[in-house]
C-alpha cells in the first residue's frame, strides 16, 4: 500500500465538505456513556459508515479535531447535570471529509438523544472562527479541557453572551430561523418574539449591573461624609444628620441591589432557556414526524425509536410551554423589585437635595466633593432605572404577544 498517497488523499479529503440539504435532519441516540444505540438514515449516510460499523461505537467515531475539546467538556458537563445542550459540531466522515451540524442533545431514558440540523446563520460564522482559534490554542498551549472551556466562556462573554445558556438560545433560534428561510418557510412568530425578548433581557441585566457597579464605586461616600461632618463640628450638624440618613439608605440599597440583580439574571435566564426549549421542541417535532415515515434501517427498531422520538417531542413541548409561563412570573417578580428600587431612588434624591443645600451653605471643599459623588451615584441609579423601566415594558408586552402567538399559531396539536 502506498502510504504517502493515502495520507495525501486524506489531506485532500480533509478540506472537502460533504454536502447535505436543509431538509435533512440527523438523529442518533446513545447510552449514558455516548455509545451509539440508534440513529436515522441521514446520520448513517453522511457519516459514510455502514450501520453495523456505527452501532455500539462511541460517538467520537466521527470526531473531527477541528472541534476544541472545550466544547465536548462543556457538553458532557451539562449532560451529566441533566441539562439539554446545543452546540455547533464539525464531524468527520469515514473517508475524511467534514460536515458541520448544529446539535441539540437532550437526556432521554437510558442515555441521550441528539438531533442535528444544518447551520447557516451569522452566529455559525462566528462559532467557526472561535473554534479554529481555540483548537489552535489547545494544541499550542496544551490546555486541559476544563481550562479551555473557561477560555471559551470568556470569549462568549466578550461576544455578548453572558452564559452558555444565552449562547445556546441565540444560536439555536438563529439557526432555526435561518433554516426556515432557506427552506422558504414562513418565520415562526414565536421565535421572532423570543429573538426580541433576548436582547431586551440582556439590556435589563446590563442596566441592573450598571446600578450595582455604581453602588460599589460610591459605597464609601456616606461614611466619608459622616467623618467629615464630625470634623467640621457644630456647623456640620445638618450634614451629619444627612450623612446618617444616607448611610442607612445606602445599606438598604445594598441589600435591595442583591435581590434586584439576581431577579434580572433570572428573567434573562428564563427567557434564554425558554427560547432554546421552544426551538428544541420544534426540531424534535420535525424529526419525530420525518422519522415515522422513513424506511427503517436494518438493525434499528423503528417502533422503539419512534416511541423515543415521540417521548422527547412531548417532553420538550411541555417544557417549552412551562418555561413560557415562567417568564411571565419572573417578570412580575422583577416588577415588584422595581417599585422598591424606585422608593430607594427617591430617598436618594431627597438626600441629594438636602446635601446640596447644606454643602452650599458650608462651602467646605471636601464636603462639596462628596455631595458631587452622591449626585453622580444618584444619576446612575436614575438613568439605570429609566433603562430598566423601558426594557421591562418591552419585555412584558413581547411576552404577552409570545403567549398569544404560541396559543394561536403554534399550539401543540392534540394527539
Ligand atoms: C447523544 C450524543 C451525540 C454526540 N454526537 C457527537 C457528534 O456528532 N460528534 C462528535 O464528535 N461527538 C459527539 N458526541 C460527543 C462524544 O461522545 C465525545 O465526547 C466527543 O466526540 C469527543 O471525544 P473525545 O473525548 O474522545 O475526543 C456526542 C455525545 C452524545 C451523548
Amino acid at each position: 500500500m502506498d502510504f504517502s498517497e493515502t495520507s495525501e488523499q486524506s489531506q485532500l479529503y480533509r478540506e472537502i465538505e460533504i454536502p447535505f440539504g436543509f431538509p435533512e435532519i440527523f438523529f442518533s441516540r446513545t447510552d449514558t456513556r455516548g455509545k451509539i444505540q440508534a440513529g436515522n438514515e441521514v446520520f448513517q449516510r453522511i457519516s459514510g459508515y455502514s450501520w453495523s460499523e456505527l452501532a455500539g461505537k462511541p460517538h467520537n467515531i466521527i470526531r473531527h479535531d477541528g472541534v476544541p475539546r472545550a466544547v465536548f467538556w462543556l457538553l458532557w458537563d451539562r449532560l451529566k447535570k441533566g441539562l439539554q445542550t446545543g452546540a455547533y459540531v464539525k464531524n468527520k466522515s469515514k473517508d475524511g471529509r467534514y460536515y458541520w451540524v448544529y446539535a441539540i442533545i437532550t437526556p432521554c431514558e437510558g442515555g441521550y438523544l441528539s438531533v442535528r440540523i444544518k447551520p447557516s446563520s451569522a452566529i455559525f460564522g462566528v462559532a467557526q472562527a472561535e473554534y479554529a482559534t481555540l483548537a489552535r490554542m489547545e494544541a499550542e498551549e496544551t490546555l486541559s479541557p476544563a481550562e479551555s472551556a473557561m477560555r471559551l466562556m470568556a470569549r462568549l462573554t466578550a461576544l455578548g453572551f453572558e452564559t452558555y445558556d444565552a449562547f445556546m438560545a441565540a444560536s439555536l433560534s438563529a439557526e432555526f430561523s435561518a433554516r426556515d428561510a432557506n427552506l422558504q418557510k414562513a418565520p415562526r412568530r414565536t421565535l421572532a418574539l423570543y429573538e426580541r425578548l433576548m436582547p431586551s433581557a440582556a439590556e435589563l441585566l446590563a442596566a441592573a449591573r450598571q446600578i450595582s457597579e455604581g453602588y460599589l464605586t460610591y459605597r464609601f461616600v456616606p461614611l466619608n461624609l459622616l467623618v467629615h461632618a464630625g470634623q467640621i463640628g457644630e456647623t456640620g450638624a445638618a450634614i451629619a444628620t444627612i450623612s446618617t440618613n444616607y448611610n442607612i439608605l445606602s445599606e438598604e440599597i445594598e441589600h435591595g441591589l442583591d435581590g434586584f440583580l439576581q431577579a434580572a439574571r433570572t428573567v434573562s435566564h428564563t427567557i434564554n432557556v425558554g427560547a432554546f426549549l421552544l426551538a428544541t421542541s420544534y426540531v424534535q417535532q420535525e424529526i419525530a414526524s420525518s422519522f415515522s415515515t422513513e424506511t427503517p434501517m436494518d438493525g434499528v427498531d423503528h417502533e422503539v425509536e419512534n416511541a423515543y422520538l415521540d417521548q422527547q417531542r412531548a417532553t420538550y413541548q411541555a417544557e417549552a410551554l412551562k418555561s413560557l409561563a415562567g417568564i411571565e412570573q419572573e417578570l412580575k417578580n422583577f416588577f415588584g423589585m422595581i417599585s422598591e428600587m424606585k422608593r430607594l431612588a427617591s430617598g436618594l434624591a431627597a438626600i441629594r437635595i438636602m446635601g446640596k443645600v447644606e454643602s452650599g451653605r458650608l462651602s467646605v471643599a471636601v464636603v462639596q466633593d462628596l455631595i458631587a459623588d452622591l449626585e453622580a451615584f444618584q444619576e446612575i441609579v436614575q438613568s439605570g432605572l429609566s433603562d430598566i423601566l423601558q426594557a421591562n415594558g418591552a419585555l412584558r408586552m413581547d411576552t404577552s404577544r409570545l403567549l398569544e402567538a404560541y396559543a394561536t399559531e403554534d399550539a401543540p396539536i392534540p394527539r
Side-chain angles (χ1 to χ4, degrees):
M1 188 187 228
D2 183 355
F3 282 102
S4 65
E5 194 183 308
T6 312
S7 81
E8 244 174 59
Q9 181 192 317
S10 75
Q11 202 49 42
L12 188 69
Y13 270 49
R14 197 184 149 77
E15 305 304 321
I16 302 174
E17 185 173 5
I18 302 184
F20 65 96
F22 284 102
E24 296 185 289
I25 303 191
F26 303 58
F27 107 81
S28 55
R29 184 174 63 77
T30 71
D31 65 7
T32 51
R33 289 176 304 162
K35 287 194 173 163
I36 300 166
Q37 305 298 301
N40 67 342
E41 185 273 335
V42 179
F43 165 48
Q44 178 271 318
R45 174 167 42 90
I46 307 292
S47 76
Y49 291 97
S50 66
W51 179 248
S52 60
E53 285 173 310
L54 291 171
K57 297 282 162 46
H59 222 305
N60 68 2
I61 186 170
I62 52 167
R63 195 206 192 306
H64 196 289
D65 59 13
V67 181
R69 282 184 291 168
V71 174
F72 295 117
W73 188 90
L74 268 172
L75 170 77
W76 279 103
D77 184 53
R78 289 181 60 93
L79 290 182
K80 283 180 191 154
K81 292 174 185 152
L83 297 169
Q84 63 279 355
T85 305
Y88 290 100
V89 179
K90 185 179 190 180
N91 279 326
K92 192 168 88 171
S93 73
K94 191 178 178 181
D95 64 13
R97 287 180 295 166
Y98 73 88
Y99 60 97
W100 280 94
V101 291
Y102 188 93
I104 304 163
I105 306 183
T106 50
C108 68
E109 209 190 310
Y112 305 102
L113 185 96
S114 169
V115 183
R116 309 187 272 282
I117 58 172
K118 186 177 175 66
S120 64
S121 81
I123 301 183
F124 175 39
V126 175
Q128 284 174 297
E130 292 300 328
Y131 277 23
T133 310
L134 196 56
R136 199 172 341 106
M137 282 203 280
E138 281 181 355
E140 285 168 7
E141 299 176 42
T142 53
L143 294 173
S144 75
E147 283 166 343
S148 180
M150 276 169 68
R151 290 220 188 160
L152 176 59
M153 280 317 305
R155 280 299 301 152
L156 292 181
T157 309
L159 290 167
F161 304 106
E162 181 90 16
T163 57
Y164 194 73
D165 278 288
F167 172 70
M168 276 171 32
S171 52
L172 177 57
S173 60
E175 292 309 339
F176 194 85
S177 303
R179 180 173 174 271
D180 268 355
N182 275 299
L183 292 171
Q184 276 152 21
K185 282 194 195 168
R188 297 260 186 168
R189 218 171 109 67
T190 45
L191 281 186
L193 284 162
Y194 261 126
E195 277 176 26
R196 280 162 51 145
L197 281 168
M198 287 189 274
S200 298
E203 271 167 37
L204 186 93
L205 188 53
R209 190 162 285 143
Q210 209 179 326
I211 299 179
S212 186
E213 278 163 11
Y215 173 79
L216 288 179
T217 309
Y218 295 108
R219 71 187 180 284
F220 297 119
V221 173
L223 270 182
N224 284 341
L225 204 52
L226 199 57
V227 170
H228 287 288
Q231 286 167 355
I232 299 164
E234 250 335 77
T235 45
I239 284 286
T241 311
I242 292 167
S243 321
T244 307
N245 290 338
Y246 185 13
N247 206 26
I248 294 167
L249 187 70
S250 182
E251 277 167 19
E252 275 189 66
I253 291 176
E254 185 180 349
H255 287 131
L257 274 175
D258 279 349
F260 192 61
L261 201 56
Q262 191 48 47
R265 271 200 206 103
T266 307
V267 166
S268 175
H269 182 72
T270 313
I271 289 173
N272 288 330
V273 171
F276 187 81
L277 288 173
L278 187 63
T280 294
S281 83
Y282 290 155
V283 177
Q284 289 182 338
Q285 217 166 308
E286 209 176 310
I287 186 74
S289 87
S290 73
F291 184 74
S292 67
T293 60
E294 187 180 305
T295 317
M297 268 195 301
D298 268 353
V300 174
D301 188 326
H302 208 241
E303 245 177 69
V304 169
E305 296 317 312
N306 263 328
Y308 266 106
L309 291 174
D310 200 49
Q311 169 70 43
Q312 288 301 93
R313 179 202 58 75
T315 303
Y316 282 88
Q317 211 162 44
E319 289 288 320
L321 185 59
K322 207 162 67 184
S323 70
L324 261 179
I327 297 172
E328 256 199 333
Q329 186 53 50
E330 293 308 335
L331 278 172
K332 256 187 218 149
N333 285 350
F334 187 73
F335 194 69
M337 296 207 173
I338 295 180
S339 324
E340 174 63 4
M341 283 308 290
K342 272 185 174 165
R343 186 184 70 77
L344 295 171
S346 39
L348 202 59
I351 289 174
R352 169 196 170 164
I353 292 163
M354 288 188 284
K356 200 157 170 69
V357 171
E358 275 308 304
S359 79
R361 204 172 57 78
L362 282 175
S363 75
V364 176
V366 68
V367 169
Q368 281 172 340
D369 286 351
L370 286 166
I371 297 295
D373 284 346
L374 161 59
E375 281 183 324
F377 176 50
Q378 201 243 328
E379 260 155 39
I380 289 173
V381 173
Q382 216 60 56
S383 89
L385 272 180
S386 112
D387 288 350
I388 281 169
L389 280 171
Q390 211 173 342
N392 187 65
L395 283 168
R396 298 192 104 189
M397 198 180 293
D398 282 338
T399 301
S400 67
R401 286 190 185 128
L402 178 59
L403 285 165
E404 193 191 296
Y406 188 81
T408 52
E409 279 179 38
D410 300 309
I413 303 143
R415 293 196 143 229

